[in-house]
Amino acid sequence: QVQLVESGGGLVQAGGSLRLSCAASGSIFRPNVMGWYRQAPGKQREMVATVTSSGSTNYADSVKGRFTISRDNAKNTVYLQMNSLKPEDTAVYYCNLRTVFEVWGQGTLVTVSS
């Protein structure tokens, strides 16, 4: 059974940076898509960024130019480098894996103070 373990969340001031990591354990089928989603209080979960196993990326308009998603296929790990953070980026960030099945991580809280 595939599990996703996230790390790297925390508290940061506006303008700062954080790097999230998500490691997948178990048998990972390819092709697949790994990505990051977020859910702010009182809002629906939204896509932040995704990357396919071949390296194609997709970003939400709100994070383009500030966030960078990358992955290490050898380690089954996906990263999200978040720069120029804004208070509106505050949310629980979830890692996601989609292949013949879908798996979600437990979430990691990112808080950006103004």
Side-chain angles (χ1 to χ4, degrees):
Q1 184 173 352
V2 176
Q3 290 186 322
L4 303 178
V5 178
E6 300 133 333
S7 60
L11 173 64
V12 65
Q13 289 187 332
S17 298
L18 281 176
R19 188 192 194 208
L20 305 183
S21 299
C22 172
S25 62
S27 298
I28 310 298
F29 296 98
R30 293 180 189 172
N32 62 64
V33 181
M34 296 189 76
W36 292 93
Y37 292 71
R38 68 186 181 187
Q39 187 166 18
K43 295 188 177 181
Q44 289 189 333
R45 190 174 297 188
E46 62 176 0
M47 187 275 292
V48 176
T50 62
V51 58
T52 68
S53 46
S54 59
S56 296
T57 59
N58 186 38
Y59 294 92
D61 288 342
S62 59
V63 306
K64 283 181 181 176
R66 301 188 297 123
F67 292 9
T68 302
I69 190 169
S70 60
R71 63 186 290 170
D72 184 335
N73 286 334
K75 297 181 179 179
N76 286 331
T77 300
V78 64
Y79 306 96
L80 185 68
Q81 178 66 43
M82 305 185 293
N83 298 328
S84 302
L85 282 160
K86 304 175 181 179
E88 51 264 44
D89 294 318
T90 295
V92 177
Y93 284 70
Y94 296 91
C95 181
N96 174 268
L97 167 67
R98 281 184 284 124
T99 175
V100 294
F101 51 81
E102 184 173 37
V103 183
W104 290 92
Q106 80 283 0
T108 185
L109 178 62
V110 172
T111 303
V112 184
S113 63
S114 56

